[in-house]
Amino acid sequence: MGATLVRDAERLPRLDHLLRLATPTGLYEHALGDEPRVEHGMCVDDVARALVVTARFPSSDASAADLAATCLRFVRAAQRPDGRLHNRRDPDGAWLDEPSTDDHWGRGLWALAVAAVELPAGPMARGARRGATLAMSARSPHTRATAYAALGAAELLRVDPRDGAARRLLGDARATLPRAAADARWPWPEPRLTYANAVLPEALIATGGALDDAALLADGVRLLDWLVAEQTVDGRLSVVPVGGRGPGDDRPGFDQQPVEVTALAEAAATALRVTGDLRWVTVLDRCVAWFEGANDVGVPVRDAATGAGFDGLERDGVNQNRGAESTLAWLACAQLLAATSGDAA
């Protein structure tokens, strides 16, 4: 534990805007321009993403460490004794929904596992491990929730092969995660690409690697290869728009969401770690380049001065709002590429 993912701290982006969205309770979900929209409250979805990013920062970064502690408290407070999680919370700290195992549960489990592995050994890492273990007592009927949960379980199993709860969750995920279809033109296991698509092949790769299942790993790599090719035009990313994409849809599509780029980056980083194939560094490069202007419009989708991410790439520019999801998408991509500096040398 405590071996941070980040190797090249000089290449990390600024946290100014993320900290602007933060409070001692959590992280505001939306912004109008760069101003937090307090009335829209907070959610585990984004706080979990923030926990992943801040847990991966060097422990010497006091601002990141403080925010990681806030995010960990938030996710742990959302948990119920049966492993389910609340998602939505108002600014005063009241939960606004019933606990469930929707997608936020999977993201929460993943974040807790990353924090347990990446944070320095101590009370926070132990609390994150307890939270991840509790979350693994639940299961979800939802594909992406299960995929995120599998990423968390694989993270735990990587550092502790004796973790029975993680191994059981991965066994269940292996039986339920969708596999590649037979159609070589559209091997995607769904009729359309929708959102956070790359988490599906990433979960297959992570699960296959953790369980020594070569066929599952190969299936995940095949799907990720296809997904990258499907979203690459002339050497740059052209990602699925908010409305999704099916066979034969016109391209490019807008509004392109930063979360799709980050999903690709996370999947490429996992594929790099599991397979050791340096071609995945090229995908990480393209993900960062998309934010920096190598995209269908040719404009940056991040503010280098503050570390903010814009809320979408549109036909005539960017959505000027800078919410938590988009900001964390940019931070995560830059962070993951920085972590490859030693691998790609």
Side-chain angles (χ1 to χ4, degrees):
M1 291 187 182
T4 181
L5 177 77
V6 175
R7 300 194 186 112
D8 188 353
E10 293 183 357
R11 297 174 65 187
L12 290 175
R14 300 179 66 89
L15 292 177
D16 300 41
H17 184 63
L18 185 66
L19 296 173
R20 186 172 191 171
L21 297 175
T23 78
T25 302
L27 192 72
Y28 289 120
E29 181 178 9
H30 296 300
L32 183 61
D34 63 359
E35 290 293 328
R37 300 198 69 172
V38 176
E39 70 276 15
H40 289 186
M42 307 175 184
C43 64
V44 165
D45 278 319
D46 288 337
V47 173
R49 293 182 177 106
L51 179 56
V52 169
V53 167
T54 53
R56 288 171 172 172
F57 259 74
S59 58
S60 58
D61 190 313
S63 295
D66 288 345
L67 184 52
T70 296
C71 293
L72 178 58
R73 287 194 299 270
F74 190 104
V75 177
R76 292 285 277 133
Q79 291 193 285
R80 299 299 92 197
D82 61 0
R84 295 177 302 155
L85 274 77
H86 292 284
N87 188 26
R88 305 214 58 83
R89 200 177 196 184
D90 72 19
D92 296 322
W95 295 105
L96 303 175
D97 60 353
E98 292 298 318
S100 72
T101 56
D102 291 343
D103 286 2
H104 68 279
W105 164 80
R107 291 191 188 99
L109 197 167
W110 172 52
L112 289 165
V114 169
V117 170
E118 296 289 344
L119 289 173
M124 284 179 59
R126 290 194 295 271
R129 182 62 176 265
R130 288 193 295 272
T133 299
L134 175 59
M136 287 190 295
S137 65
R139 296 291 186 271
S140 176
H142 305 297
T143 300
R144 280 162 179 73
T146 299
Y148 278 110
L151 297 182
E155 193 79 6
L156 294 173
L157 206 60
R158 183 163 63 91
V159 298
D160 182 8
R162 301 167 301 172
D163 191 321
R167 192 169 290 277
R168 287 190 294 274
L169 190 147
L170 285 176
D172 291 343
R174 174 166 56 182
T176 59
L177 285 171
R179 307 286 285 270
D183 185 351
R185 294 171 300 176
W186 191 265
W188 196 249
E190 300 169 324
R192 290 179 62 82
L193 294 166
T194 55
Y195 73 98
N197 295 289
V199 73
L200 300 185
E202 183 187 5
L204 296 178
I205 292 167
T207 303
L211 299 181
D212 294 322
D213 186 330
L216 193 69
L217 172 58
D219 227 13
V221 169
R222 177 191 169 205
L223 271 182
L224 184 57
D225 269 328
W226 178 86
L227 183 62
V228 169
E230 177 71 13
Q231 298 188 102
T232 301
V233 176
D234 296 331
R236 71 174 188 278
L237 290 183
S238 178
V239 297
V240 173
V242 70
R245 177 184 293 163
D249 283 5
D250 291 338
R251 308 177 190 215
F254 301 97
D255 177 16
Q256 293 179 23
Q257 297 292 292
V259 70
E260 295 305 320
V261 181
T262 303
L264 275 179
E266 291 281 359
T270 295
L272 174 63
R273 175 179 57 79
V274 174
T275 69
D277 190 336
L278 293 180
R279 67 193 171 92
W280 297 110
V281 177
T282 300
V283 179
L284 284 165
D285 274 323
R286 288 176 180 170
C287 290
V288 170
W290 183 90
F291 279 96
E292 294 177 336
N295 52 51
D296 288 321
V297 184
V299 297
V301 195
R302 58 89 179 101
D303 179 358
T306 66
F310 294 102
D311 278 0
L313 183 68
E314 301 174 348
R315 193 175 299 277
D316 57 354
V318 295
N319 182 328
Q320 290 294 325
N321 296 330
R322 282 148 266 182
E325 179 184 281
S326 302
T327 294
L328 288 160
W330 158 240
L331 295 174
C333 279
Q335 185 180 60
L336 289 165
L337 183 60
T340 69
S341 58
D343 297 321

